[in-house]
Amino acid sequence: MSAYQIRARALCMAMAVTLAQPATLAAQTAPDSIRVYFDTGSASVATSQQEALDRAARLFREGNPFVMIVAGTADRVGAPGVNLQLSVQRAAAVANGLAARGIPADRLQVVGRGISELPVETPQGVPEPENRVVEITWR
Amino acid sequence: MRQAGIRERASAALSIALAAAIVASPLAAQTPPGEAAFAARDFIRAAPLLRREAAAGSAQAMLHLGTMADLGLGAAQDAAAAFRWYLAAAGAGNVDAQFNVAVMLDAGAGRTREPRAAATWYARAAAQGHTRAQYNLGLLLAAGDGVPRNTRLARLWLNRAAQLLPAAAERAARLQPPADAGADPAAAPELASVLVVGPADARLGLFSWAAAPGAPGERFVLEIVTRPTAAHPRSRDVARIDTPATAITVPLAGPNDLAWRVRRTNRRTGSDAASAWQALDLGPAAAAPTALAQPTARVTLRHAPGDAGAIRLAGRLADALAEEGAWVDVRQAAAQNATKRTQVHFADATAAPLARRIAASLPGPDGLSALPAPFDTAASAPGEISVDIVGGPN
């Protein structure tokens, strides 16, 4: 990468930050994501986490093309393939909970990330509650 | 020049032909261009078209403009602009926009969180059958967030949503039984508000209120009457609606100068508490609601058809009572319902003194006395007096 390219890239990033600012300021009081946590190896939404689904459903506005993105992850305990499946199941469980709260199914984008893009990076085999999570965002 | 003129005319003719073709196609005939561009996700083109359609009063266009500002489609994200467009669409009667206004107030999206106002907007959408609004209103009521905590009302709204939202049924089942502590059956309904939407020939009043928990068996009665004015001095009943819920929609076809209030009643305990009367102006130059002078009493005078003496007497009595600040209605009783003798009934003790004065002023062969009416929450309210007049001065 040339120095020019690096500078241009830095400039773009700076612009992105500037552009993002009004939205960040506007969202001061409203959360821009909601997290639903899971027990180790589990893909069912605990009663204690139902309230998080309620909060998410209370933020979702009506009118196309609103989309709610439901992205699941798993911690680095166990085989990656199993964890990918688990993350999909977790996301699907949350999506079902949101659909049960009236979010139209075609507005829900369900993503299983497995152990990629983890909220907290850990070595393999480390149980990390922050990574056993489904993150709900919307746009 | 001449050629240009011809070309212009030709192109104008072509435009008309094209416009005719567009209008003739059933989809285009139903979908204004701004909405069509929005549906095609061409937000840059949609924005000016939608603004024009919004200026012409399209609530759907306002909702789309709100969504675009909310999500940053075709322009930068702008929560304040989104809220303004949603609010405009909501006021124009769009239920989804009413819900979105509630959600933004509830979440504090780009603004200070206002749960009390959120509850009112949820209630308006909920009254029109918006299930997510019913669910969210149920959650606010269950938590006592912005409204008095009221488990019975939380259950009522969650159960209404439960037919379509399985989560609402589960949430209703998890509600704790109502705590009697803090229950005040004598408290009048709070936060009574009305939003009138729709065109002049199909106006709909979205009435909503809240209430602290009361005793089992309580109901609400929404009363709408015509407000006495110089032109129309009588106060007629427009609607008297009994409901267990805290929000309802009422078609408003009648006169423009109205007053309304909501009562919390309970047949079992005999309690009855009313909100203050509020003015509701539907005329073209409807002013912002101002404090309304409350009536000293409400009196209904009935006479048989063709009983000229009774009609004269009722007119005089109505004028005298109105002079004292009462709201009076003069009605003709159906022939089969007309009583054979003059009688005065009052709903409760507060109405007794005036009822006795009315009785004393009326001609009666055997010394007329006022009688307490059987308590009926739907038919009569505290302070109400009904008078049947038979015969009168010539």
Side-chain angles (χ1 to χ4, degrees):
Chain A
M1 199 181 275
S2 73
Y4 172 74
Q5 277 174 321
I6 290 169
R7 263 205 311 279
R9 217 182 138 156
L11 186 65
C12 281
M13 283 170 72
M15 277 177 66
V17 168
T18 322
L19 284 175
Q21 238 169 10
T24 318
L25 283 177
Q28 258 175 359
T29 42
D32 45 15
S33 79
I34 285 175
R35 289 173 176 206
V36 183
Y37 294 98
F38 289 81
D39 291 333
T40 303
S42 168
S44 67
V45 181
T47 312
S48 66
Q49 297 296 303
Q50 297 285 342
E51 203 228 334
L53 293 188
D54 278 337
R55 265 187 289 133
R58 261 162 86 169
L59 289 168
F60 187 81
R61 309 206 246 286
E62 296 282 15
N64 285 339
F66 271 99
V67 176
M68 206 163 225
I69 300 146
V70 184
T73 54
D75 62 17
R76 285 186 187 272
V77 176
V82 172
N83 277 332
L84 177 61
Q85 202 184 351
L86 189 58
S87 73
V88 172
Q89 287 168 348
R90 283 173 176 163
V94 168
N96 284 340
L98 292 170
R101 284 162 177 77
I103 311 293
D106 62 353
R107 311 274 95 194
L108 290 166
Q109 225 169 66
V110 183
V111 184
R113 288 190 177 138
I115 52 168
S116 65
E117 298 174 61
L118 288 176
V120 178
E121 256 325 317
T122 69
Q124 181 61 26
V126 174
E128 173 52 62
E130 284 292 322
N131 290 343
R132 296 192 297 270
V133 73
V134 170
E135 188 176 36
I136 305 167
T137 53
W138 49 92
R139 58 153 201 253
Chain B
M1 191 66 201
R2 198 181 143 82
Q3 276 205 328
I6 289 167
R7 262 208 304 278
E8 252 171 42
R9 273 202 298 278
S11 98
L14 185 65
S15 305
I16 289 164
L18 270 174
I22 290 165
V23 168
S25 111
L27 183 73
Q30 284 160 11
T31 314
E35 285 181 40
F38 180 89
R41 303 184 63 96
D42 187 350
F43 302 117
I44 304 287
R45 198 166 68 83
L49 295 169
L50 286 172
R51 273 197 288 274
R52 206 171 311 149
E53 285 156 28
S58 163
Q60 192 65 37
M62 297 173 200
L63 173 67
H64 288 335
L65 286 163
T67 306
M68 284 165 60
D70 202 357
L71 294 174
L73 304 170
Q77 213 170 11
D78 185 342
F83 186 78
R84 282 196 303 274
W85 281 121
Y86 286 150
L87 196 60
N94 185 290
V95 182
D96 283 343
Q98 289 164 6
F99 176 77
N100 287 358
V101 165
V103 165
M104 290 187 87
L105 290 165
D106 187 8
R111 57 192 303 102
T112 313
R113 182 165 186 267
E114 290 178 64
R116 177 182 278 245
T120 296
W121 281 105
Y122 279 140
R124 288 168 178 166
Q128 295 164 89
H130 192 290
T131 47
R132 293 186 56 215
Q134 293 168 342
Y135 183 62
N136 291 358
L137 179 59
L139 294 180
L140 288 179
L141 285 161
D145 187 3
V147 282
R149 198 172 86 86
N150 191 321
T151 310
R152 180 185 76 77
L153 292 173
R155 179 171 290 118
L156 179 141
W157 287 111
L158 289 170
N159 282 340
R160 287 204 179 172
Q163 291 181 345
L164 291 171
L165 306 189
E170 288 164 28
R171 190 66 188 79
R174 285 213 311 276
L175 280 175
Q176 300 299 314
D180 288 324
D184 182 4
E190 312 169 29
L191 307 171
S193 82
V194 60
L195 175 72
V196 179
V197 297
D201 57 345
R203 277 184 309 224
L204 198 61
L206 311 179
F207 293 86
S208 66
W209 55 89
E218 73 176 8
R219 313 265 305 172
F220 298 99
V221 180
L222 174 71
E223 297 175 333
I224 309 172
V225 301
T226 62
R227 205 166 70 229
T229 58
H232 302 282
R234 306 290 178 245
S235 168
R236 257 193 330 282
D237 272 13
V238 172
R240 200 176 277 235
I241 302 162
D242 187 308
T243 174
T246 47
I248 55 170
T249 62
V250 183
L252 297 169
N256 287 337
D257 298 304
L258 300 177
W260 71 282
R261 69 173 183 177
V262 58
R263 282 160 43 213
R264 196 155 75 119
T265 70
N266 194 322
R267 244 172 242 263
R268 290 185 215 168
T269 63
S271 74
D272 198 312
S275 69
W277 288 98
Q278 296 186 39
L280 172 53
D281 290 317
L282 302 176
T290 48
L292 182 64
Q294 301 293 303
T296 52
R298 288 171 72 205
V299 185
T300 303
L301 308 174
R302 266 188 232 89
H303 59 77
D307 184 345
I311 292 167
R312 260 193 302 279
L313 183 55
R316 276 183 221 161
L317 186 55
D319 290 342
L321 289 165
E323 194 80 8
E324 293 186 17
W327 288 359
V328 189
D329 188 14
V330 178
R331 264 188 258 171
Q332 181 177 289
Q336 68 270 22
N337 294 341
T339 54
K340 297 211 165 46
R341 49 187 220 105
T342 297
Q343 53 191 22
V344 180
H345 281 110
F346 55 89
D348 70 331
T350 63
L354 180 60
R356 289 201 188 94
R357 270 174 52 216
I358 293 171
S361 77
L362 290 169
D366 43 3
L368 187 63
S369 60
L371 302 166
F375 187 79
D376 182 347
T377 51
S380 62
E384 281 187 354
I385 297 166
S386 85
V387 185
D388 294 299
I389 304 176
V390 178
N394 292 319

